[in-house]
Amino acid sequence: MNNIMKTLLLYITSAAILFANAGAGCGSKSATVDPQPDGFQSLLGKWQAQRATYEVTEQNGNYFESGPDFIKNGVTIIWEFLGDGRLRSTVDGKSREVRWKLNVTRLSGQNIDLGTLTIIGDDERSLAQSLGQTGDLTYNIGTMATGSSGFAVMYLSADVTSQGPYKKNILRYTYHKL
């Protein structure tokens, strides 16, 4: 597969995963479930997606990274984490709500070093199954605040190897707190 086709495949997969997760139809039966987030207050609030990056290892062992920069491409994705377990997802002005659950396994001060973020909804469960996950859509999560300004970054990652011909394919989203 030549580099142009690989890049095209990465962008198509990224767009499919992103818009299925962030822009699918409103509401679902499972959106009424009331998960209790770990009480990790620094995650609450609005976060804007900056980019998606695929970390790809080809069958021959070659490694490369590729993916869209949402800001440069004019795509606005905002996730608002509410303290009652609701997640309001807004993509280019269109919003919907699902549920979220956070499990933090390691902290460094107020930063999440290691944890999982589960997004709960019928569309998310379907997306999870297409990615080879069982149950609800689950990301590995990490956050960090940088400098004295408290600028915060959130990283979400998922193994999407089942979506393509690669030996390993990790999708990583980068969000900045608004």
Side-chain angles (χ1 to χ4, degrees):
M1 189 180 291
N2 66 36
N3 285 338
I4 294 172
M5 290 181 70
K6 289 178 188 175
T7 302
L8 182 59
L9 176 63
L10 290 173
Y11 282 109
I12 290 169
T13 304
S14 175
I17 290 171
L18 172 72
F19 291 111
N21 184 37
C26 295
S28 69
K29 283 189 262 181
S30 62
T32 61
V33 174
D34 190 19
Q36 297 300 313
D38 271 0
F40 200 77
Q41 298 299 311
S42 66
L43 189 61
L44 300 181
K46 292 183 179 183
W47 296 81
Q48 183 173 13
Q50 303 294 302
R51 72 189 61 79
T53 304
Y54 283 95
E55 300 167 354
V56 175
T57 303
E58 297 176 307
Q59 296 297 337
N60 64 7
N62 289 338
Y63 175 84
F64 67 93
E65 293 182 6
S66 181
D69 183 311
F70 300 127
I71 304 300
K72 286 182 182 176
N73 291 327
V75 177
T76 303
I77 301 166
I78 308 287
W79 279 10
E80 182 178 8
F81 292 91
L82 303 169
D84 62 358
R86 289 180 297 140
L87 170 62
R88 186 172 297 126
S89 172
T90 304
V91 178
D92 292 332
K94 296 180 183 176
S95 295
R96 70 185 197 104
E97 282 189 11
V98 293
R99 306 297 294 172
W100 67 281
K101 181 171 62 173
L102 176 66
N103 181 16
V104 177
T105 54
R106 188 174 66 225
L107 294 174
S108 173
Q110 290 296 309
N111 296 324
I112 301 171
D113 278 344
L114 182 63
T116 56
L117 174 67
T118 303
I119 309 296
I120 303 164
D122 290 341
D123 294 332
E124 288 71 22
R125 192 170 298 107
S126 295
L127 176 58
Q129 289 174 354
S130 74
L131 297 176
Q133 296 181 5
T134 57
D136 295 305
L137 181 61
T138 303
Y139 293 105
N140 293 316
I141 184 172
T143 64
M144 73 176 176
T146 58
S148 61
S149 66
F151 179 72
V153 179
M154 173 175 60
Y155 299 100
L156 301 176
S157 64
D159 186 332
V160 296
T161 303
S162 66
Q163 294 295 297
Y166 303 112
K167 184 176 184 178
K168 190 75 172 173
N169 190 358
I170 304 297
L171 173 59
R172 180 179 310 272
Y173 290 110
T174 303
Y175 284 77
H176 291 173
K177 193 163 191 181
L178 298 177

